[in-house]
Amino acid sequence: MLKNTARSRRPRAAATAGLAASAVLGLALAGCGQDSTSPQEARGRADTRVQAKAARTAGTVDCAKAKCIALTFDAGPGPHTPQLLDILKEKKVHATFFLLGSKHVDTYPDIVRRAAAEGHEIANHTWTHRRLDQLKPDEIRSELGRTQRAVEALTGRAPTLMRPPQGRTNDEVTAVSKELGLSQVLWSATAKDYATTDSALIHKRILDQASRDGIILLHDIYDGTVPAVPGIIDELTERGYTFVTVPQLLAPGTPQPGTLYRP
């Protein structure tokens, strides 16, 4: 049984991000309004030669056949992330981490290196969690570019994926993302874990929303989230799901810079 976890102090940046998210995150998918590409469409658009090569690659998950789902975490890393990485390692699951720069990437560099070294996809969630659709192009470029450079300096690889804070994007965000080589990734299941420390509730919300080719959004910076992860993984595995990273979910298609991906 999952139990409620006690609230502990959160990093100031994490709390700020959560307060901003709580106002509109539940509306983000409906409010985006831009054309988007589903994982199925991304796979279908892949060049047939790429598909054939992917099929010959040993160990590749074929999400056209497997019941795939992607587990993603926003706004870290933070104090709970090492425990999460231990869980993912034990469960043999790779996740996608959309990282914040200020007071996260720059505060926990060893955790960023560890996540990358253990095969997780490291992605961009801006520098300070400002709503990109409210910024000028140069400000968008700074928010994304600073995190790109910080992650590349730590891991040797710049992210190819980003998640706009609160899921808010527009033509300017798309243009700058394309310029920086970043695809935009939204989600299909969220526990709204910024508003609760109840791990059992987080667990239930994700299980209720899980679907094939889905993308789960959680936050490893909040107290109730990481304790819910083992049960989520175990139950979805029992239901026949295969956990993949976002790029694996799109394969043999590859994330295209500027494109908005949404299940």
Side-chain angles (χ1 to χ4, degrees):
M1 292 289 294
L2 293 169
K3 299 179 180 179
N4 292 3
T5 56
R7 185 180 300 274
S8 63
R9 287 190 176 184
R10 302 172 183 161
R12 183 176 299 175
T16 301
L19 290 172
S22 63
V24 296
L25 188 53
L27 302 176
L29 294 182
C32 180
Q34 284 205 313
D35 290 338
S36 60
T37 298
S38 70
Q40 301 97 314
E41 290 169 336
R43 294 194 297 265
R45 293 175 184 175
D47 187 286
T48 54
R49 293 168 297 179
V50 176
Q51 293 178 357
K53 181 178 179 181
R56 293 193 300 268
T57 302
T60 298
V61 177
D62 184 355
C63 291
K65 298 178 180 178
K67 188 179 176 182
C68 292
I69 196 165
L71 187 58
T72 74
F73 296 90
D74 279 13
H80 302 308
T81 310
Q83 180 189 358
L84 173 60
L85 291 173
D86 290 343
I87 292 167
L88 296 174
K89 186 174 184 179
E90 177 188 350
K91 302 292 185 182
K92 296 181 172 60
V93 166
H94 288 130
T96 303
F97 287 87
F98 291 90
L99 303 184
L100 277 178
S102 177
K103 300 183 182 180
H104 293 273
V105 169
D106 60 2
T107 302
Y108 304 99
D110 289 342
I111 298 177
V112 177
R113 293 189 190 98
R114 178 187 169 186
E118 292 183 358
H120 302 288
E121 184 73 18
I122 306 302
N124 190 328
H125 196 44
T126 74
W127 190 253
T128 63
H129 206 266
R130 297 176 70 190
R131 270 186 57 171
L132 298 181
D133 63 324
Q134 297 178 339
L135 303 181
K136 297 177 181 179
D138 283 347
E139 294 173 312
I140 299 169
R141 195 172 289 109
S142 175
E143 279 286 320
L144 294 173
R146 291 184 71 182
T147 303
Q148 287 290 93
R149 294 187 293 273
V151 169
E152 185 173 19
L154 292 174
T155 69
R157 178 176 177 267
T160 60
L161 307 176
M162 79 87 155
R163 176 168 283 154
Q166 303 177 16
R168 301 295 185 174
T169 186
N170 58 21
D171 290 342
E172 287 76 17
V173 175
T174 295
V176 173
S177 298
K178 185 174 183 179
E179 172 191 324
L180 296 178
L182 289 165
S183 304
Q184 305 176 80
V185 180
L186 298 186
W187 60 90
S188 58
T190 176
K192 298 184 180 179
D193 51 353
Y194 50 80
T196 182
T197 59
D198 187 339
S199 297
L201 180 59
I202 293 168
H203 174 270
K204 181 180 185 302
R205 285 174 173 173
I206 293 302
L207 294 183
D208 287 348
Q209 297 173 61
S211 60
R212 183 172 186 168
D213 289 327
I215 298 176
I216 296 169
L217 165 62
L218 292 169
H219 299 78
D220 48 321
I221 57 173
Y222 297 124
D223 296 342
T225 302
V226 172
V229 171
I232 290 170
I233 292 174
D234 289 346
E235 177 64 26
L236 291 181
T237 299
E238 189 172 323
R239 293 184 187 182
Y241 284 94
T242 297
F243 286 93
V244 294
T245 64
V246 171
Q248 288 174 323
L249 188 64
L250 306 181
T254 56
Q256 297 301 304
T259 299
L260 180 69
Y261 293 96
R262 173 169 50 189

